[in-house]
């Protein structure tokens, strides 16, 4: 059982979410049709950890790409064109590409991990959240939290409040 | 249900709808077991290359007489190379010789005896039947004692097979055996007979000469023995220790030899002999000090440099310079090609012989060296038919004086001008029997075709002509087993004779050749019991030579019959105002007289000078082309007094503006898939005049006119732009040379 | 030899000089007459396809060895120069670096090898080759029965989509090496191996041998003052040295 | 900076955006199906069938020859790769510079990137002689135990294009996740199930938005240098050879500039179609065509400059090969095509200096198509005037495309159209949430 509250205005939703946080209620999520930079600040979401994935991925990609070039060249020594077996200019090009490739892929992984996606089942959701409403949801509150949560949400000016099972 | 293996399965699956592409790709992918990387460079351990065996025999693609080694693997001929111990070609071989494999494995070879069913169709028959038919007809003729009504006409056959033919003629009653070969330098033979009293060709020592003056002889491409000449040329250029030899070429259209010469002199076509006499005049009057100097000076009075310069278009200065250089250097003059294929071909040769005589080249190293008769060559019953004799034969056939015509390996219908009507005359012969390997134009006229072996499948021997200064004979042996139900010429003759009831002591050509060689062996003083060893070693080497008869150098030069000098101005057929151009047909090293046209490698071999493949063309001077508004590929109509042909134009940089040149060799109507309906045959344009002294066809003495048809074709060639455009291709100092 | 040493060795420009062989050829343009015997010899030895007239018309001929023609001057002073053109087996070959799948590389004999079963047919090598001696199999060429009986069993027949080029008759080199090994010799003697073209050349214009051996005929020829390399400014270090044609008779050998 | 008006016909409401975009995705009329059937038909007949025939027979089906071993397939490859640079520029660069006007057009621009890349990659497959072994050019183990040659410019290409394809598909997909969720919410049945999977269960929580924002920015940052490198690397396929006319240091900027140029022109064409056929007049308006027009003028001038430089360096080299090549390009057989390219790419775009031209969609459509015809010619000329005329004049040849090549070229456009038609029914062609971001925010303060 989850609780969702629908809001017309961004500020109301943010204040509801902040109130819930302040009340020590866990598993609060604030849904919106567009990114809310104000809310992110309010909810204490600073620099995202995705950037670590990107950096580490890119570094690993670069190292991996260069090592791949060197290692595969050494499996069979195949001289070509009188050039060096470990030739820096071409290998750096490959390194450049793999840096980006792995950087992008690990950013993607980072996105999934940080955003905890994909998650297809049993989560509170209101379709309006993707149109023009803001939704504050409390996921599986304990029985003593239910009242308190509903109170805070209503207090912040919710258009409606619902107790639902996971709808998504 | 039949079993489907994996490959089929995937094809099957792939065939269905969406999987088609993927299925196909998969099928390609699994087509054969994955080979390991670099099969050739790092072969797998279990790979053991097969062993090749080499058999030596004699090349039959032209009359150069090269010895060849054929590489055999698993009973199949893989490659023809020069026989390294053969003195003629010393391990080298020309393009045509190497393409002999295409003749052996040609898909258009005749495979069984054929009989013409009189509807223009040929029906396969059994050998027994065919031989029987021939034997019967010959028997009838013999019974009527009409041996003169049976004619044997062959191509150039050398060696002792001729002896067998001679026996055959005796056995079955054939009076005449003629050998007709378009490329045979009949005028050269005649001139040498007249001036030197030699019936054999001398050895022209290109190898050691310092100054080679060639009047139209394409010695690097088609003249006598091109491979041997080329060997000599290489030595002349870079092998001589004293100096690099100089080559001068006189011809209206630059041939391969002209392209390699230091100087190319485009003399007026037909005036080459005059030029030779002009040079002779300068030598006789300024340099020559022999006893007969006065006689020479007298005979050559009219050939003053100024006269000759006017006649030939070569400047007086050049004539005098060449005369001096020719006299002072160890020199050699040769003649051939179109220069000696006019109405005065023999006279031209005599003029060139005179030059050699005056410069003291006879019998000298680097000059003209006479070959002595090896003694074991079969001088026999045949005669070399010149054009005049062929015309006579045509007359005889036309007048129904020939009952049986037996043909072998010769194609007069192609290599004689159509105006000589040889083809029509043949139609009057009741029985034409062709013993040939391919369905050429002449064979197609036959009533009975007996397919003969390829030269790589048959026995024979050969004495190279011209010889190389000492006695050489080579044995030709089968290097592969017969591909088809064919027989060799000799075997057919033996079989026919036997069928006619003649007792023949030899079972086969092989036995005959062996018998002849054993007699020669005995004559040479060999121990009879050692013959087997000798025979085996001769077969292994492919060639046998004797250093006995060496060159007769120096002192024995006979005086030159100066009275043989005569008018050397060749007559050109056709009125100059109506036919403004001189037709210059030439033999190509790719097809020779057309015999190479059925060889795909030769068809795909770019012409050495123009790079054209698969076609005929008409060569024009760039200036002439501009005048006529002709571009490469424009189809031109070339008309001579005796015919018209159409061929695309090719703009050739080195040809006289008043000359058009056409290669001989293409224009076959029959001759297999590679040759048929391709290009034109310029011999058809030739007005059939001949040299009075030798009777040889004057194929270079015709005038033509050119008409642009407006049609254009793509002239297939491999060259792009044949100028270096200032790039460093021919060497660092190339820029200076322009 | 450790891997590092190997790498170091291959990093040096002239590494091939240390190997047993560095096959090379000299072409004496003063001897070459342009007779094209070499062209047919190559065709016979290496199973070059008969591509047919239409392919020729589209300029898709396959001739590992070809003769190029260059005219100088105009009539009547026109001069024709022949120059045989075949794979120059460059030590610094542009084609080798171009192949994404190592279908062409430089082997220890200084040869520029082409591995047919590795080739995927991007044709980059042919674009990069300044000498245009690489030939592509536009189709799977077939031989009219029974011409295929001539095919050399030591040389593979190429299928569609594969690049091919002169190998210096690597099959002959291998055979010569095998024979030398059977004879307990470490090296092939000079003159024991000759590619088909050089073997057939009627004027002995082509000389083949080991450039690493200073005593070999080819090394001596390559040191001739007439020697030069075609398109030298491309810095491909070809293994083929051309000896310039002598113009005029005053220049003695 | 004066804020330009983003919407010509007034701001839509939030619901309106959802409805408009999702309608274009869900409501499919018979016209669409007919159009799709046509493009699929053309693709099959003009592209797939000749290609299959070519795979069966060999690449000889194309008009290439000994001298010109590269032909139309390669020139089309460059063209399509070039076209793909549009999306990156508009999406990534403008994202980083926070230009709001990009938001309604970037989705389809990215789609163009992805699909032109796919078409380009297909041309590589069409080009190679033995397609069935093409996997050997990837660093994956194979039975020969050999790895690809990373020193080869072709391998640079393989790596660059693989990376580009991967990155740009991730880029477009990630940007679409919230919109997939919107479609999911709007639909039912199978479509809902599909979009549920496609949207990964996106709910639009702050955490998700936050993460997406960061990730998206990183994608953008990574994709920009990638795009520049891709066409530089493609140019090096040519420039690293010794072919006169190709062996030029200017090639990398030349190709990159040309790529962005043709890509931007391509976007104008696509924008026109979106407006015309999907009813996005409201979202794609004057500001877009105006800005794109100005961008095109700038690009055309850079492009012209590089072209002049190319001629100059060739002439200045004094090398016979280079000058011969220039002569052939300027006055040879393909000269009309060259001058057509100069006209379309250097002079016609100057018309956009007039506002009346720039703001007129029909005129812009014509200009954008002309630019791409010019760019297609440019790629063709690069290949066909240089390769057949290399360093040895005796080997000079000629190249003319065969019917199969022309057909496959035509088919490639149909293939691109097919992919795009499928795209507009799968992806919301205009980014719903990013358009909403440009609307008046849903805040109490502004409401009252």
């Amino acid at each position: 059982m989850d609780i969702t509250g629908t809001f017309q205005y961004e500020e109301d939703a943010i204040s509801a979410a902040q109130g819930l946080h302040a009340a020590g209620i866990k598993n609060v999520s604030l849904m919106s049709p567009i990114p809310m930079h104000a809310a992110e600040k309010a909810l204490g979401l600073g620099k995202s950890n995705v950037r670590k994935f990107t950096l580490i991925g890119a570094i690993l990609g670069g190292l991996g790409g260069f090592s791949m070039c060197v290692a595969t060249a050494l499996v069979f020594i195949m001289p070509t064109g009188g050039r060096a077996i470990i030739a820096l200019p071409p290998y750096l090009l490959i390194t450049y590409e793999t840096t980006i490739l792995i950087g992008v892929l690990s950013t993607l992984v980072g996105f999934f991990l940080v955003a905890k996606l994909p998650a297809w089942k049993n989560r509170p959701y209101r379709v309006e959240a993707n149109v023009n409403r803001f939704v504050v949801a409390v996921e599986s509150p304990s029985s003593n939290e239910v009242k308190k949560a509903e109170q805070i949400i209503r207090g912040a000016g919710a258009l409606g409040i619902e107790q639902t099972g996971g709808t998504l | 249900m039949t079993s489907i293996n994996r490959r089929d399965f995937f094809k099957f699956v792939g065939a269905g709808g969406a999987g088609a592409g993927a299925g196909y790709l998969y099928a390609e992918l699994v087509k054969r077991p994955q080979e390991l990387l670099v099969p050739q460079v790092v072969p797998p351990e279990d790979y053991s290359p097969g062993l090749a065996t080499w058999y030596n025999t004699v090349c039959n693609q032209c009359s150069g007489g090269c010895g060849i080694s054929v590489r055999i693997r698993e009973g199949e001929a893989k490659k023809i190379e020069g026989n390294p111990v053969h003195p003629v070609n010393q391990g080298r071989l020309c393009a045509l010789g190497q393409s002999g494999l295409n003749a052996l494995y040609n898909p258009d070879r005749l495979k069984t005896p054929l009989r013409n069913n009189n509807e223009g169709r040929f029906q396969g028959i059994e050998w027994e039947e065919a031989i029987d038919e021939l034997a019967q007809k010959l028997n009838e003729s013999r019974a009527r004692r009409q041996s003169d009504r049976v004619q044997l006409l062959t191509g150039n056959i050398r060696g002792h097979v001729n002896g067998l033919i001679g026996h055959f003629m005796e056995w079955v009653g054939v009076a005449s055996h003629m050998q007709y070969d378009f490329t045979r330098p009949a005028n050269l033979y005649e001139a040498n007979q007249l001036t030197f009293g030699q019936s054999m060709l001398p050895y022209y020592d290109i190898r050691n000469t310092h100054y080679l003056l060639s009047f139209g002889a394409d010695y690097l491409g088609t003249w006598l023995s091109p491979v041997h000449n080329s060997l000599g040329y290489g030595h002349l250029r870079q092998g001589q220790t004293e100096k690099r030899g100089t080559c001068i070429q006189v011809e209206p259209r630059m041939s391969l030899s002209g392209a390699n010469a230091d100087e190319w002199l485009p003399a007026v076509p037909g005036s080459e002999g005059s030029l030779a006499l002009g040079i002779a005049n300068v030598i006789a009057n300024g340099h020559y000090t022999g006893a007969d100097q006065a006689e020479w000076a007298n005979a050559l009075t009219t050939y003053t440099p100024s006269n000759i310069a006017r006649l030939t278009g070569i400047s007086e200065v050049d004539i005098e310079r060449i005369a001096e250089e020719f006299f002072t250097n160890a020199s050699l003059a040769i003649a051939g090609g179109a220069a000696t294929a006019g109405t005065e071909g023999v006279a031209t040769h005599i003029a060139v012989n005179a030059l050699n005589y005056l410069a003291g080249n006879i019998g000298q190293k680097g000059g003209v060296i006479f070959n002595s008769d090896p003694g074991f060559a079969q001088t026999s019953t045949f005669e070399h038919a010149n054009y005049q004799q062929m015309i006579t034969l045509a007359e005889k056939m036309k007048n129904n004086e020939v009952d049986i015509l037996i043909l072998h390996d010769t194609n007069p219908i192609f290599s004689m001008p159509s105006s000589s009507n040889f083809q029509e005359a043949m139609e009057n012969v009741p029985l034409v029997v062709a013993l040939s390997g391919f369905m050429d134009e002449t064979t197609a006229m036959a009533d009975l075709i007996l397919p003969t072996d390829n030269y790589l499948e048959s026995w024979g021997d050969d004495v190279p002509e011209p010889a190389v200064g000492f006695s050489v004979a080579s044995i030709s042996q089968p290097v592969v087993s017969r591909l088809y139900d064919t027989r060799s010429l000799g075997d057919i003759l033996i079989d026919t004779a036997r069928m006619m009831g003649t007792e023949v002591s030899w079972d086969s050509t092989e036995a005959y050749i062996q018998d002849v060689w054993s007699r020669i062996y005995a004559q040479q003083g060999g121990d009879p019991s050692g013959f087997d060893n000798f025979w085996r070693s001769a077969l292994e080497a492919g060639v046998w030579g004797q250093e006995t008869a060496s060159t007769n150098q120096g002192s024995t030069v006979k005086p030159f019959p100066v009275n043989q000098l005569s008018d050397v101005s060749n007559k050109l057929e056709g009125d100059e105002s109506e036919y403004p151009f001189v037709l210059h047909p030439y033999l190509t090293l790719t097809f020779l007289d057309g015999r190479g046209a059925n060889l795909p490698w030769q068809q795909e071999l770019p012409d050495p000078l123009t790079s054209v493949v698969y076609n005929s063309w008409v060569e024009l001077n760039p200036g002439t082309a501009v005048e006529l508004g002709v571009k490469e590929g424009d189809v031109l109509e070339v008309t001579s007094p005796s015919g018209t042909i159409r061929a695309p134009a090719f703009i050739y940089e080195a040809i006289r503006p008043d000359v058009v040149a056409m290669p001989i060799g293409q224009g076959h109507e029959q001759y297999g898939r590679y040759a048929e309906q391709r290009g034109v045959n310029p011999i058809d344009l030739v007005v059939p005049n001949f040299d009075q002294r030798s009777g040889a066809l004057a194929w270079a003495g015709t005038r033509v006119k050119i008409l642009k048809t407006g049609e254009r074709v793509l002239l297939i060639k491999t060259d792009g732009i044949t100028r270096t455009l200032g790039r460093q291709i021919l060497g660092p100092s190339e820029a200076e040379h322009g | 030899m450790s891997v590092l040493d190997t790498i170091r060795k291959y990093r040096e420009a002239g590494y091939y000089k240390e190997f047993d062989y560095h096959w090379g050829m000299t072409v004496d343009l003063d001897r070459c007459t342009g007779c094209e015997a070499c062209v047919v010899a190559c065709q016979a030895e290496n199973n070059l396809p008969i591509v047919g007239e239409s392919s020729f018309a589209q300029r898709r001929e396959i001739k590992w060895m070809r003769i190029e023609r260059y005219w100088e001057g105009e009539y009547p002073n026109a001069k024709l120069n022949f120059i045989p053109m075949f794979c120059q087996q460059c030590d610094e070959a542009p084609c080798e670096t171009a192949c994404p799948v190592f279908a062409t590389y430089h082997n220890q004999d200084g040869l520029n090898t082409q591995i047919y079963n590795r080739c995927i047919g991007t044709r980059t090598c042919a674009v990069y080759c300044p000498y245009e001696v690489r030939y592509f199999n536009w189709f799977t060429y077939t031989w009219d029965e029974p011409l295929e009986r001539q095919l050399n069993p030591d040389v593979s027949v190429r299928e569609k989509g594969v690049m091919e080029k002169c190998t210096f008759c690597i099959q002959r080199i291998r055979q010569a090496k095998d024979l030398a090994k059977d004879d307990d010799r470490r090296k092939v003697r000079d003159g024991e191996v000759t590619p088909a073209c050089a073997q057939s050349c009627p004027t002995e214009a082509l000389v083949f041998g080991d450039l690493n051996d200073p005593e070999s005929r080819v090394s001596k020829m390559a040191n001739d003052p007439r020697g030069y390399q075609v398109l030298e400014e491309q810095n491909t270090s070809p293994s083929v040295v051309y000896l310039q044609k002598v113009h005029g008779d005053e220049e003695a050998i | 900076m004066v804020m330009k008006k983003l919407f010509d016909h007034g701001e839509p409401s939030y619901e309106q955006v959802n409805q408009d975009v999702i309608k274009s995705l869900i409501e499919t009329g018979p016209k669409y199906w007919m159009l799709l059937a046509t493009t699929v038909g053309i693709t099959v007949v003009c592209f797939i069938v000749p290609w299959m025939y070519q795979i069966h027979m060999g690449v000889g089906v194309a008009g290439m020859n000994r001298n010109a071993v590269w032909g139309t397939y390669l020139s089309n490859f460059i063209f399509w790769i070039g076209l793909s640079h549009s999306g990156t520029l508009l999406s990534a660069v403008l994202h980083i510079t926070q230009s709001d006007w990009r938001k309604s057009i970037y989705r389809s621009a990215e789609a163009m990137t992805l699909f032109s890349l796919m078409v380009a990659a297909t041309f590589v497959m069409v080009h190679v002689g033995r397609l069935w072994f093409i996997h050997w050019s990837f660093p994956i183990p194979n039975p020969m135990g050999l790895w690809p040659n990373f020193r080869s410019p072709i391998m640079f290409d393989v790596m660059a294009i693989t990376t580009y394809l991967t990155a740009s598909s991730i880029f477009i997909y990630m940007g679409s996740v919230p919109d997939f969720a919107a479609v999911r919410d709007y639909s039912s049945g199978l479509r809902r199930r599909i979009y549920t999977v496609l949207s990964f269960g996106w709910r639009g929580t702050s955490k998700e938005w936050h993460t997406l924002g960061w990730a998206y920015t990183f994608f953008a940052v990574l994709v920009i240098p990638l795009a520049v490198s891709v066409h530089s690397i493609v140019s090096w396929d040519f420039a690293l050879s010794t072919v006169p006319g190709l062996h030029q240091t200017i090639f990398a900027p030349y190709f990159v500039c040309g790529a962005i140029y043709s890509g931007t022109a391509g976007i104008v064409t696509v924008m026109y179609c979106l407006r015309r056929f999907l009813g996005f007049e409201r979202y794609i308006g004057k500001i877009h065509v105006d800005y794109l027009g100005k961008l095109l003028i700038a690009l055309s001038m850079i492009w012209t400059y590089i072209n002049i430089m190319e001629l100059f360096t060739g002439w200045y080299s004094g090398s016979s090969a280079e000058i011969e090549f220039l002569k052939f390009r300027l006055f040879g057989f393909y000269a009309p095509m060259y001058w057509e390219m100069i006209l379309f790419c250097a002079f016609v775009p100057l018309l956009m200096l007039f506002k009346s031209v720039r703001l007129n969609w029909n005129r812009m459509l014509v200009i954008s198509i002309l630019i791409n015809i010019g760019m297609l010619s440019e790629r063709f000329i690069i290949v066909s005037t240089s390769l057949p005329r290399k360093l040895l004049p005796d080997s000079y040849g000629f190249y003319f495309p065969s019917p199969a090549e022309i057909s496959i070229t035509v088919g490639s456009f149909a293939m691109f159209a097919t992919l795009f038609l499928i795209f507009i029914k799968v992806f919301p062609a205009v980014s719903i949430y990013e358009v909403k971001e440009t609307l008046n925010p849903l805040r109490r303060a502004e409401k009252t």
Side-chain angles (χ1 to χ4, degrees), chain D residues 17-287:
Chain D
V17 176
N18 273 42
Q19 271 162 20
D20 283 351
V21 176
I22 294 170
K23 199 177 81 182
S24 78
L25 189 116
I26 290 177
E27 284 179 15
T28 307
K31 267 188 189 163
Y32 172 84
W33 291 115
M34 275 160 62
L35 196 60
L36 187 65
T38 314
T39 57
V40 169
I42 295 175
T43 309
V44 170
V45 173
C46 293
F47 196 99
I48 309 289
V49 171
W51 185 21
M52 287 301 147
Y53 178 67
Q54 180 185 300
I55 289 172
H56 182 71
M57 295 296 294
V59 195
V61 169
M64 288 171 277
N65 54 40
R66 178 166 88 70
N67 318 88
V69 287
W70 284 353
T72 319
Y73 295 148
L74 247 266
S75 74
N76 287 345
F77 161 74
I78 316 169
F79 173 77
W80 284 109
I81 289 266
L83 210 51
S84 75
H85 280 53
S86 55
T88 322
L89 178 91
L90 270 139
S91 189
V93 177
L94 298 182
H95 173 77
I96 288 184
T97 57
Q98 300 184 335
S99 312
D100 273 350
W101 64 277
R102 92 182 237 284
K103 292 192 169 168
S104 54
I105 56 173
Y106 86 92
R107 175 74 46 76
S108 31
E110 279 174 12
M112 251 183 85
T113 298
L114 184 60
F115 300 138
S116 5
L117 265 179
M118 285 179 180
V119 176
T122 318
F123 265 114
V124 173
M125 291 193 269
V126 177
H127 171 82
V128 296
R130 300 207 293 177
L131 176 62
W132 44 99
F133 290 133
I134 200 167
H135 55 277
W136 288 344
S137 61
F138 288 95
I140 46 176
N142 62 58
M144 292 188 175
L146 192 64
W147 296 85
N149 176 9
F150 287 108
R151 279 160 280 167
S152 154
I154 301 300
M155 274 315 288
F156 308 164
D157 248 4
V158 170
M159 295 305 289
I161 290 168
T162 315
T163 306
Y164 199 27
L165 205 52
T166 315
S168 57
S169 23
I170 291 175
F171 197 43
I172 188 173
Y173 193 92
M174 291 316 293
S176 308
V177 167
D179 291 354
F180 284 148
V183 180
R184 169 197 67 196
D185 297 345
Y186 248 81
S187 51
S188 57
L190 179 65
R191 179 177 273 134
R192 183 185 170 85
R193 288 230 287 282
I194 290 170
Y195 280 94
T196 305
V197 173
L198 287 180
S199 61
F200 301 125
W202 176 271
R203 295 183 299 159
T205 63
S206 303
K207 182 81 176 168
E208 286 168 1
W209 282 119
H210 181 70
T211 319
L212 179 66
W214 276 86
Y216 198 76
T217 305
F218 281 122
F219 288 143
V221 169
L222 288 171
V223 158
I224 294 165
L226 175 62
V228 173
S229 81
V230 167
H231 227 147
S232 303
I233 282 172
V234 169
S235 83
W236 293 335
D237 287 353
F238 293 87
L240 291 180
S241 72
T242 58
V243 180
L246 296 184
H247 185 47
Q248 297 186 349
T249 44
I250 206 165
F251 249 45
Y254 182 33
F255 270 46
V256 173
C257 160
I260 297 172
Y261 187 29
S262 79
T264 311
I267 284 176
V268 174
T269 316
V270 168
M271 292 304 115
Y272 179 91
C273 298
L274 288 181
R275 267 173 63 90
R276 180 89 176 65
F277 302 114
L278 287 178
F280 283 130
E281 285 96 343
R282 191 158 200 171
Y283 303 95
I284 302 166
K286 285 206 170 67
I287 184 172

Side-chain angles (χ1 to χ4, degrees), chain B residues 40 71 73 78 81 92 98 107 238 240 244 260 604 606 608 674 678 718-719 722-723 729-730 733, chain C residues 30 33 36 41 52-53 59 69 71 73 144-145 149-151 154 172 174 198 201 228 244 253:
Chain B
Q40 200 56 262
R71 180 168 181 253
R73 280 275 297 263
K78 298 300 178 189
E81 290 179 1
R92 313 285 158 168
Q98 298 187 65
Q238 288 294 326
Q240 296 180 357
R244 175 180 182 267
N260 286 292
E604 297 213 335
Y674 302 108
R678 211 181 272 296
T718 61
D719 273 349
T722 49
R723 296 273 170 175
I729 295 166
L730 298 173
S733 58
Chain C
D30 207 28
T33 65
E36 305 206 320
E53 187 175 3
R59 305 215 55 188
R69 277 152 281 272
W71 288 95
D144 291 332
E145 190 88 19
R149 295 175 73 169
Q150 176 272 329
L151 294 177
D154 293 340
R172 292 189 177 205
R174 264 203 49 216
C201 179
Y228 74 99
Q244 200 174 354
I253 19 145

Side-chain angles (χ1 to χ4, degrees), chain B residues 660-713:
Chain B
V660 293
M662 289 187 76
I664 298 170
Q666 299 275 32
H668 284 276
E669 275 162 31
Q670 302 266 347
Y671 204 27
R673 67 192 74 177
Y674 302 108
E676 272 167 33
Q677 314 303 333
R678 211 181 272 296
V680 290
N681 183 4
I683 299 175
D684 284 345
L685 287 181
V686 172
V687 178
N689 286 339
F690 42 85
D691 189 301
Q692 291 301 335
R693 279 194 262 190
S694 69
L697 175 67
W699 48 267
T702 305
R703 287 188 161 277
V704 292
K705 62 180 173 188
I706 288 175
L707 197 70
K708 210 174 131 180
T709 58
E711 207 180 313
R712 273 184 73 81
V713 294

Side-chain angles (χ1 to χ4, degrees), chain A residues 95-151:
Chain A
T95 308
Y96 184 92
E97 298 300 332
T98 50
T99 305
I100 293 174
L101 179 65
I102 307 299
V104 166
L105 287 174
S106 70
T107 308
L108 181 68
V109 172
F111 166 78
F112 284 129
L113 291 179
V114 174
K116 299 201 173 67
L117 289 174
W120 284 291
K121 278 183 183 147
N122 298 324
R123 298 199 301 160
Y125 182 63
R126 302 288 299 267
V127 288
E128 300 94 319
N130 215 337
V131 185
N132 57 356
R133 294 284 183 265
F134 300 86
V135 173
V136 173
V138 180
E139 218 169 315
S140 322
S142 58
S143 52
N144 56 344
E145 283 173 345
V146 173
K147 266 266 161 57
K148 203 155 106 200
E150 281 185 355
Q151 204 175 356

